[in-house]
Amino acid sequence: MSGASSITAAEPCRDVQIRPAAATDVARVVAIDEAATGEAKPRYWQSLFESFSQSRTGCRAFLVAELKGEVVGFICGEVRDFEFGAESCGWVFALTVDPAIRVNSIGTQLFEEICLIFTQAGVRKVRTMIEHDNQLVMAFFRSQGLMVGRFIGMEKNLD
């Protein structure tokens, strides 16, 4: 499926199924991401799906949340080992729920599922990066128990 969701914020979310993403889900992932960010990135999501569908099962996850047969959210991440001098930990690269139904704890269910995968892989920490001015995403991750860690993101423009 692609395009806007037919599910509303008033819908109960007790029937949400979290499962590994399938190739047929990529178009819906693109649509959800575009609804949230305002930018379509079909090649990016297709490439990420292909990369995460290959080896390293148990260390990588690209999951979708499905409600009434419709993909309404997704999360992807992987276990990274010893980058920047840190211990092995799970990294969440993306977590997005259809903006029309965000208040239904679907993001929490996705986050809990990927944390379970990370725990089963033997790591004890999860990390992500957030733009410092994205208060909505920051509030969500804080509600999940994440807090500012020991690393500081730094960047430089190369143009």
Side-chain angles (χ1 to χ4, degrees), residues 84-98:
F84 311 108
E87 69 281 4
S88 292
C89 68
W91 277 91
V92 173
F93 300 133
L95 169 58
T96 306
V97 173
D98 185 325

Side-chain angles (χ1 to χ4, degrees), residues 3 23 36 49 64 143:
F49 170 76
V64 295
S143 77

Side-chain angles (χ1 to χ4, degrees), residues 79-142:
V79 173
R80 292 278 179 99
D81 297 314
F82 311 111
E83 291 182 329
F84 311 108
E87 69 281 4
S88 292
C89 68
W91 277 91
V92 173
F93 300 133
L95 169 58
T96 306
V97 173
D98 185 325
I101 60 168
R102 276 193 183 140
V103 295
N104 286 299
S105 79
I106 295 167
T108 297
Q109 292 177 56
L110 284 161
F111 184 73
E112 288 172 350
E113 186 67 23
I114 205 165
C115 285
L116 178 61
I117 290 167
F118 292 155
T119 301
Q120 291 169 344
V123 298
R124 298 177 50 154
K125 238 178 231 226
V126 63
R127 292 189 171 107
T128 193
M129 295 180 85
I130 304 165
E131 288 190 72
H132 65 85
D133 62 348
N134 192 332
Q135 297 301 314
L136 178 67
V137 174
M138 193 167 310
F140 170 79
F141 279 112
R142 283 186 173 154

Side-chain angles (χ1 to χ4, degrees), residues 10-60:
E11 302 268 348
C13 62
R14 64 184 167 271
D15 296 327
V16 172
Q17 301 296 315
I18 309 295
R19 61 170 174 78
T24 55
D25 298 324
V26 174
R28 184 70 182 124
V29 166
V30 170
I32 292 169
D33 178 63
E34 183 176 7
T37 67
E39 184 179 352
K41 304 180 259 310
R43 285 188 307 195
Y44 171 77
W45 291 112
Q46 183 64 44
S47 175
L48 193 65
F49 170 76
E50 290 169 4
S51 173
F52 275 48
S53 308
Q54 296 172 2
S55 63
R56 296 188 53 185
T57 305
C59 295
R60 288 182 170 162

